[in-house]
Amino acid sequence: MKSELAEMAMDQQPTRREDEAPETVPVPHALVPHLDETAILLDIDGTLLDLMPTPREVWVPPGLSDTLNRLTQLTSGALALVSGRSLNDIDLIFAPDVFRAVAGHGAEMRLSLDNEADDVHAPPLDKELKRRLAAIAKLSPGILLEDKGYSLALHYRLAPHAEKAIYESVAVIRADLPNAPIEVLPGKFVCEIKHSGFTKATGVRELMKREPFKGRRPIFIGDDVTDETVFAIMPDMNGLAFSVGRRAMGVNGHFDAPSDVRAFLGRLLDPR
């Protein structure tokens, strides 16, 4: 996090030109009095958790789950994880803790901590389409295939040289299936293919219509291209958006790394 943080009250939006990227994030004590009116929405990979060579290597640092649980209490339950991962995958990462979530890029949503999913907004990808996409992983030993049910991801962090070949292969498949309702999501060393018609933004819009999020002011923190759809809708909800690792356009500020996000969330628990 930047050393010089702007003291930005919750009822103020920074003024900036579209070609300017904000430098700072709000100091924690400016938010603490408003937690009972706030919804905290958090991406996982690259935001809460440090990126790893493979999706299965991510781990939850000590104390993070306790922080999230305490913030859930202070916001009367209005804390949700917003991720491209499936609900099942999220639960495996944070086990034994369970959190409300928008998962699968908006394909799944969980409002009750007693349920696996309250809403499912998309059917699984077609099996034949998955088979063709999965074959792309054979382009290089370093390409890792992740089947999320509602989407399929090709991770190439271990084979960055394969990026161009991956996207070219996906383009060929899309050309063969011009009417297939699919969308390609580029990310950090990952190419993900999912059903069109739902995004993290559509999931967040739906989430904010439901209790305990309804009527609250959202704060969203994300890092990747897929989070930009949520950055874009925060002004519609009088919300605040913060990027991680880069100064994304249209946000209210940024954090340098996930460790800064974790420290920031921890300081929200300090009444001082």
Side-chain angles (χ1 to χ4, degrees):
M1 202 187 313
K2 293 297 179 184
S3 57
E4 297 181 0
L5 298 179
E7 296 196 12
M8 184 167 56
M10 285 291 290
D11 60 351
Q12 294 178 332
Q13 292 280 2
T15 301
R16 60 181 182 277
R17 301 192 313 270
E18 290 186 358
D19 61 343
E20 289 181 330
E23 292 275 354
T24 59
V25 298
V27 291
H29 72 72
L31 302 180
V32 170
H34 304 275
L35 287 179
D36 59 347
E37 303 170 355
T38 301
I40 300 176
L41 312 177
L42 304 164
D43 174 51
I44 298 176
D45 295 87
T47 297
L48 278 179
L49 306 182
D50 297 292
L51 292 172
M52 294 294 171
T54 69
R56 297 300 176 190
E57 292 181 66
V58 300
W59 59 286
V60 179
L64 176 58
S65 289
D66 289 342
T67 297
L68 296 178
N69 280 314
R70 181 63 180 139
L71 286 173
T72 297
Q73 294 174 355
L74 292 174
T75 58
S76 300
L79 179 145
L81 304 178
V82 181
S83 177
R85 290 181 180 266
S86 66
L87 279 176
N88 182 65
D89 208 13
I90 293 172
D91 289 347
L92 287 175
I93 292 172
F94 287 93
D97 296 286
V98 178
F99 299 100
R100 293 173 176 83
V102 171
H105 295 290
E108 301 176 288
M109 183 169 64
R110 176 170 60 207
L111 291 169
S112 172
L113 301 185
D114 297 327
N115 295 339
E116 291 186 3
D118 292 280
D119 287 298
V120 176
H121 300 285
L125 282 178
D126 177 78
K127 290 183 178 180
E128 177 60 20
L129 175 60
K130 277 188 178 181
R131 186 191 65 78
R132 292 189 63 180
L133 292 170
I136 297 175
K138 297 179 181 179
L139 290 173
S140 172
I143 301 175
L144 302 178
L145 180 68
E146 182 183 11
D147 186 350
K148 301 181 182 181
Y150 308 105
S151 66
L152 189 144
L154 295 159
H155 298 271
Y156 53 91
R157 186 171 293 274
L158 300 179
H161 60 277
E163 177 180 13
K164 182 179 179 180
I166 290 172
Y167 280 97
E168 287 177 346
S169 298
V170 171
V172 169
I173 295 173
R174 293 192 73 187
D176 288 344
L177 303 168
N179 297 320
I182 58 174
E183 178 182 358
V184 178
L185 296 178
K188 292 180 179 177
F189 295 100
V190 61
C191 173
E192 190 160 355
I193 302 90
K194 70 172 187 66
H195 270 284
S196 58
F198 64 93
T199 63
K200 286 184 177 181
T202 61
V204 166
R205 283 193 184 277
E206 184 64 27
L207 181 79
M208 294 303 298
K209 296 177 182 178
R210 311 285 191 91
E211 296 293 346
F213 300 89
K214 185 177 180 180
R216 289 172 173 263
R217 190 179 198 187
I219 296 176
F220 176 69
I221 307 176
D223 75 302
D224 212 344
V225 175
T226 59
D227 297 312
E228 292 177 357
T229 61
V230 186
F231 295 157
I233 66 170
M234 284 296 101
D236 299 341
M237 303 177 181
N238 196 31
L240 300 173
F242 301 96
S243 58
V244 183
R246 63 192 178 100
R247 299 174 187 175
M249 300 308 300
V251 298
N252 300 87
H254 85 284
F255 296 89
D256 288 332
S259 58
D260 297 314
V261 176
R262 296 192 294 267
F264 173 76
L265 295 174
R267 285 196 287 274
L268 289 180
L269 301 178
D270 187 347
R272 297 171 295 178

